[in-house]
Amino acid sequence: MSKYLTILFIGAQFLLYCASTQKEGAVSANLETQVRAEIKGIDQQLSDLHPEDKRRSELLLQKSKLLLKIESFKEASLVLREVQNSKDGRNLQHLDHYLGSAYLGINDYDNAIVHFRKSDNVDRDFESVTRKKMWARAYFEDEKYGQALGILGRASREKNFEKDLFYYETVVVSFYRIKEYKRCQLVLEEGLQKFPESLVLKETSEKISQVLQR
């Protein structure tokens, strides 16, 4: 089912929801060129700084955000680790959120879960819904379906939460995988009303019908 989930996240701030390190056409050539030029400028500033300069960590964090924007998740993870290991970097805002995003992009779900959990503890109001969807996806991809359902259940109580295609497909498949068939069916019915063309929902609906008829 996870192959269908790569299309489900709407870009939020940085188009973070790619399921692999390969770009899937979401980043235009113009955007790539523009962002790479900005990164080149940051690299020039970094080359002029002393290794202990406090501005270094801020510039590296800025660089990592640009890399996330063009879905260069591997590069972003390396830059963010450098920030994480620096003396001043640990105090920078939203670092765990960006680390979680980068790890999710390279399919390192264990580390993504760790950093999203930390971000939720120390940075609760920053990109809360976006973080919880990414956090749930990391659990889902790691086959921890109960945890994914728990995160989405919490997220769904937030004012600006949208029950989008990702929500329905993740919840439906998770309930199915943990054999909560009746709860799965309830969410399926609601999801199919909104997204009748979803292959994931339609295929799961057929499976559920067979199970419940036994």
Side-chain angles (χ1 to χ4, degrees):
M1 292 294 181
S2 63
K3 66 181 179 180
Y4 297 113
L5 294 177
T6 59
I7 63 171
L8 305 181
F9 284 99
I10 298 173
Q13 190 174 5
F14 295 121
L15 298 173
L16 298 174
Y17 307 115
C18 207
S20 71
T21 55
Q22 300 296 319
K23 294 185 180 69
E24 299 179 338
V27 178
S28 70
N30 287 340
L31 178 60
E32 175 103 23
T33 300
Q34 176 187 337
V35 169
R36 287 292 177 185
E38 292 181 60
I39 290 173
K40 185 176 181 180
I42 291 174
D43 286 338
Q44 181 59 54
Q45 294 180 66
L46 287 168
S47 68
D48 295 335
L49 292 180
H50 187 274
E52 299 300 318
D53 194 309
K54 292 183 177 181
R55 289 176 296 167
R56 183 174 180 80
S57 294
E58 294 177 358
L59 285 170
L60 286 171
L61 185 62
Q62 184 179 345
K63 179 179 177 179
S64 72
K65 292 181 193 179
L66 291 169
L67 290 167
L68 289 172
K69 188 173 183 178
I70 57 172
E71 300 179 6
S72 292
F73 298 115
K74 184 64 177 179
E75 286 183 85
S77 69
L78 295 173
V79 174
L80 286 164
R81 271 181 248 174
E82 184 178 349
V83 175
Q84 184 184 27
N85 293 328
S86 68
K87 182 175 67 174
D88 301 307
R90 297 177 185 178
N91 297 320
L92 292 176
Q93 282 190 316
H94 318 318
L95 178 59
D96 283 301
H97 179 86
Y98 298 127
L99 277 163
S101 303
Y103 282 125
L104 180 61
I106 59 174
N107 304 331
D108 185 345
Y109 304 124
D110 287 340
N111 271 317
I113 289 166
V114 166
H115 287 288
F116 286 138
R117 183 184 296 117
K118 288 182 179 178
S119 177
D120 199 56
N121 288 332
V122 302
D123 215 7
R124 189 173 297 274
D125 295 328
F126 178 73
E127 294 289 330
S128 179
V129 169
T130 299
R131 177 179 61 252
K132 285 186 174 69
K133 286 186 176 182
M134 290 191 291
W135 192 4
R137 181 185 159 198
Y139 272 129
F140 180 93
E141 298 287 1
D142 207 30
E143 300 183 358
K144 295 174 180 175
Y145 305 113
Q147 289 93 325
L149 288 166
I151 296 296
L152 287 176
R154 285 169 48 197
S156 67
R157 293 192 289 270
E158 298 193 25
K159 289 182 180 180
N160 59 337
F161 183 85
E162 177 189 358
K163 290 186 177 182
D164 55 9
L165 184 57
F166 165 76
Y167 171 84
Y168 285 108
E169 291 193 347
T170 303
V171 170
V172 163
V173 174
S174 295
F175 275 138
Y176 182 82
R177 295 280 176 85
I178 64 174
K179 300 182 179 181
E180 289 279 356
Y181 299 128
K182 290 185 179 180
R183 297 175 75 180
C184 178
Q185 187 180 39
L186 288 173
V187 182
L188 254 174
E189 291 172 356
E190 183 180 323
L192 282 170
Q193 288 181 356
K194 294 183 178 180
F195 303 101
E197 300 304 315
S198 166
L199 292 176
V200 173
L201 297 181
K202 287 193 289 189
E203 289 176 2
T204 309
S205 180
E206 293 173 3
K207 293 178 181 178
I208 283 291
S209 295
Q210 294 172 5
V211 170
L212 295 178
Q213 286 173 3
R214 292 173 187 170

